[in-house]
Amino acid sequence: MIQMFHVSKTYPKDVVALSDITLHIQKGEFVFLCGPSGAGKTTLLRLIFRDELPTDGQILVNGRNVVRLRESKLPALRRSIGVIFQDFKLLMDRTVYDNLHLVTRVLGIPETISRRKIGRLLKEVGLLQKADQIPYSLSGGEQQRVAIARALVSDPAILLADEPTGNLDPDLALDVMRLLAEVNIRGTTVVVATHNPKLVAEMGHHTLILKQGRLVEEIP
Amino acid sequence: MLWERFRHLLGETFLNFRRGGWGVIASIGAIAIAFLVTGIFLLLTLNLSTVVARWAEDFQVVVFLDDTITKKQRTLVQKRLDGEMAVRDVTYLSKKEALADFRRKIRGQESLLEGLKTNPLPASFQLRIREQYQTADVLGHLAASLKRMEGIEDVLYGQEWVERLTSLIEVMKILGIVIGGVLGVASLFIVANTIRMAVYARAQEIEIMRLVGATRAYIQIPLILEGTLQGGLGAALALGLLYALFRGTLWQLGTTASMIFAGTELTQFLEAEYRMAMVGLGALLGGVGSLVAVRRFLKV
Ligand SMILES: Nc1ncnc2c1ncn2[C@@H]1O[C@H](COP(=O)(O)OP(=O)(O)OP(=O)(O)O)[C@@H](O)[C@H]1O
Ligand SMILES: [Mg+2]
């Protein structure tokens, strides 16, 4: 589903974020991407949905060469990938509902179907009662779940979660992980970036360990 | 689906409009000023052209006769005029006819003539000049030699004025184009800036739309429509102001205007084609301005 061949990424001013990464993530897998802060986890995820281009190497996502993707094919790629951003990227001045509605509009989903879909997703993450509140008035964990619901609006084939348990207490973190596992069971390939090794140990999945931009270990 | 898209587009455009606040007002104002100034020039040139064309046509040379002219002298003058190469035809206008003519021209303000005991208007010969002789030079000579004849009080010829006015109109046209152009370009930049601010204000939303797979068009079209709408509204506002100015000026000038321009078409505002062209041009200007901004400040 996701393949990288000798991928490197250097940001301006010679900041090396990734060097010579080769990896293969199968369809339907649940993969952890581990490593300390600054190891390059976010960068690796951003390469997958072509928010950034690699300095070197090739990336295949769902059979498409992301590096050589034409601009006109970019929306289709991004619609097939749901992303839970490390900083959530929620619009703080819109309701929870409107945050999700933004996506259904981009996707051109008709209003009646959109309404049902958003209702179902909010119910799934347990936020149906808060649909009309603005994210600003929600707790960190609730905002996190809004971000998850939004990432699932497009029924993506791939879900990328960047530090989805970042500042949650252990119980809530486990809840979120359970939610992601459910999504995975329904067929979505899930990649979770985290620097929380305890979480990884508890779940016991395919794990990739990054350190200073290098893939130092892979636990199948 | 299509309707859904259309509604989204419209909703988005108006929402941006409301969020834009002062920037939007500045944009519309700038376009309005540019079009108002250009419109003033346009209106003046068009109307002056009409007036001048009319003068040039039926007001070429007028030979005013002394009130004391004898029948014999008048016949002599008539003969002289008939024999003149430059003259195409001659019409005699008696004192009575002149007064009637004047009365007709100032219809509505006849009270001005009340209290007149005698007819102050002279009798005259109205000359039409052959095309090839219609220059200030030829007419100047003709006027000078006619003036020396007995019984002729004065000779008026409009040619010099026509020529002066024509060159004035030319100057005004060029001035109008230059000033309009400069203001047009300036307002284009102001629109571009407003749209740039709109892009910045919505940076986060645009970023999210981009990342969840919005096409370039989906993001850009509402912004470009917004600029187009600003441009069109600006031009429409300018038209409204121009019309108010036009009415106000006519009202101020009052009687004078109707006397000077009686029978001409000065009292006409810009025609429908001009009005539509102005609004269209405003919309185009706004559209181009926002296209520039969107191209420069929106990454995909
Ligand atoms: N947009 C950018 N421009 C320049 N340098 C960047 C950029 N994004 C990341 N970096 C640098 O690249 C390196 C890897 O950053 P990245 O965000 O991928 O790490 P991370 O593993 O996600 O860290 P964290 O766990 O703190 O989120 C860091 O040194 C960072 O400073
Ligand atoms: Mg990160």
Side-chain angles (χ1 to χ4, degrees):
Chain A
M1 196 69 162
I2 303 168
Q3 282 172 283
M4 293 196 176
F5 304 99
H6 305 293
V7 168
S8 297
K9 174 70 189 177
T10 308
Y11 285 113
K13 289 184 194 154
D14 290 328
V15 179
V16 179
L18 294 173
S19 45
D20 198 24
I21 303 283
T22 296
L23 57 78
H24 189 178
I25 293 169
Q26 306 279 347
K27 193 175 159 112
E29 262 195 300
F30 191 114
V31 179
F32 277 113
L33 187 61
C34 278
S37 183
K41 305 181 293 294
T42 299
T43 302
L44 195 143
L45 296 185
R46 288 176 69 199
L47 290 176
I48 295 172
F49 60 99
R50 229 218 71 174
D51 194 21
E52 287 284 355
L53 279 169
T55 329
D56 239 320
Q58 297 300 322
I59 303 171
L60 293 182
V61 175
N62 218 346
R64 277 180 280 231
N65 187 328
V66 171
V67 181
R68 289 209 228 110
L69 201 66
R70 267 187 293 142
E71 195 205 293
S72 58
K73 303 272 189 246
L74 198 50
L77 172 78
R78 294 200 175 140
R79 285 169 197 211
S80 71
I81 303 175
V83 184
I84 301 161
F85 299 96
Q86 193 165 6
D87 56 357
F88 307 159
K89 288 198 199 299
L90 297 176
L91 291 172
M92 288 298 175
D93 59 349
R94 314 272 178 98
T95 63
V96 167
Y97 184 91
D98 286 342
N99 268 278
L100 270 64
H101 192 217
L102 183 71
V103 185
T104 60
R105 273 183 6 210
V106 165
L107 299 177
I109 297 174
E111 240 1 74
T112 45
I113 299 176
S114 158
R115 216 167 299 136
R116 240 180 296 140
K117 178 162 208 139
I118 293 173
R120 180 171 56 71
L121 284 168
L122 287 180
K123 197 167 153 206
E124 234 170 84
V125 298
L127 283 177
L128 201 51
Q129 295 79 22
K130 311 235 166 171
D132 292 328
Q133 295 197 22
I134 54 169
Y136 191 74
S137 69
L138 301 181
S139 74
E142 286 167 335
Q143 290 184 20
Q144 180 69 268
R145 282 181 281 156
V146 177
I148 294 173
R150 191 185 60 190
L152 294 173
V153 167
S154 60
D155 296 316
I158 299 171
L159 179 65
L160 306 178
D162 198 353
E163 217 70 75
T165 58
N167 31 28
L168 302 183
D169 63 58
D171 275 357
L172 276 178
L174 217 60
D175 272 353
V176 165
M177 292 316 295
R178 236 178 255 131
L179 202 63
L180 296 180
E182 264 171 47
V183 173
N184 175 244
I185 286 165
R186 275 182 258 142
T188 301
T189 308
V190 177
V191 181
V192 179
T194 178
H195 56 220
N196 184 349
K198 239 169 80 197
L199 198 77
V200 178
E202 278 168 42
M203 303 274 296
H205 283 292
H206 181 184
T207 304
L208 303 161
I209 299 174
L210 279 177
K211 240 173 221 155
Q212 291 177 350
R214 293 183 175 279
L215 195 57
V216 292
E217 210 184 326
E218 185 165 3
I219 306 162
Chain B
M1 186 81 172
L2 207 67
W3 167 238
E4 207 86 52
R5 289 246 157 133
F6 182 69
R7 232 183 38 185
H8 154 76
L9 220 63
L10 226 63
E12 201 72 355
T13 306
F14 280 105
L15 200 65
N16 293 345
F17 226 81
R18 275 214 335 255
R19 289 201 202 116
W22 286 108
V24 173
I25 292 172
S27 267
I28 295 176
I31 296 225
I33 289 169
F35 276 86
L36 181 60
V37 173
T38 317
I40 290 173
F41 276 101
L42 185 65
L43 198 56
L44 281 177
T45 2
L46 283 177
N47 278 309
L48 268 180
S49 301
T50 321
V51 171
V52 170
R54 251 192 109 100
W55 280 357
E57 173 158 292
D58 65 20
F59 205 49
Q60 288 173 349
V61 176
V62 186
V63 179
F64 290 111
L65 305 177
D66 267 334
D67 280 0
T68 58
I69 192 168
T70 62
K71 253 228 163 85
K72 217 171 125 197
Q73 280 170 335
R74 212 181 81 197
T75 318
L76 235 85
V77 171
Q78 173 95 51
K79 273 210 178 111
R80 166 73 203 279
L81 293 175
D82 285 342
E84 195 55 63
M85 277 290 284
V87 177
R88 195 174 67 207
D89 63 60
V90 180
T91 320
Y92 176 70
L93 201 69
S94 71
K95 281 174 72 75
K96 239 163 116 189
E97 285 164 332
L99 187 63
D101 201 31
F102 186 62
R103 209 183 274 279
R104 199 155 33 72
K105 279 187 178 169
I106 60 164
R107 204 176 314 138
Q109 272 94 31
E110 283 96 341
S111 59
L112 285 169
L113 296 176
E114 273 171 24
L116 279 181
K117 298 209 178 63
T118 54
N119 178 356
L121 299 175
S124 61
F125 283 111
Q126 314 263 333
L127 311 187
R128 283 174 177 274
I129 305 298
R130 284 181 212 284
E131 194 109 22
Q132 65 269 37
Y133 294 104
Q134 291 183 7
T135 67
D137 218 24
V138 171
L139 297 183
H141 277 105
L142 178 64
S145 70
L146 283 176
K147 249 188 238 176
R148 285 195 292 273
M149 288 187 76
E150 298 272 331
I152 290 183
E153 188 179 79
D154 201 2
V155 180
L156 255 184
Y157 65 102
Q159 202 54 38
E160 202 175 340
W161 276 103
V162 168
E163 279 177 14
R164 268 194 219 168
L165 279 174
T166 307
S167 53
L168 177 70
I169 290 170
E170 284 308 312
V171 169
M172 278 178 38
K173 255 187 212 159
I174 293 167
L175 214 62
I177 290 170
V178 169
I179 294 179
V182 168
L183 290 177
V185 170
S187 53
L188 192 125
F189 278 104
I190 293 177
V191 173
N193 191 55
T194 306
I195 299 301
R196 183 174 65 105
M197 296 312 269
V199 169
Y200 286 164
R202 303 176 55 216
Q204 231 200 342
E205 183 184 355
I206 289 173
E207 158 99 344
I208 293 166
M209 292 201 285
R210 185 172 82 72
L211 291 176
V212 299
T215 58
R216 190 191 270 266
Y218 182 88
I219 296 173
Q220 290 186 350
I221 288 175
L223 289 162
I224 290 168
L225 275 186
E226 190 188 334
T228 308
L229 196 63
Q230 284 173 10
L233 280 177
L237 181 65
L239 269 179
L241 289 174
L242 190 63
Y243 188 71
L245 204 65
F246 171 73
R247 281 273 146 224
T249 309
L250 277 191
W251 185 74
Q252 277 286 322
L253 288 177
T255 334
T256 336
S258 62
M259 272 165 74
I260 298 172
F261 302 115
T264 71
E265 264 137 45
L266 183 82
T267 41
Q268 276 222 335
F269 192 56
L270 296 178
E271 294 187 19
E273 299 92 78
Y274 277 108
R275 297 196 297 254
M276 285 194 299
M278 267 174 81
V279 174
L281 205 64
L284 188 70
L285 205 73
V288 170
S290 43
L291 191 68
V292 168
V294 159
R295 279 281 151 93
R296 281 202 51 191
F297 300 107
L298 213 62
K299 73 165 191 167
V300 171

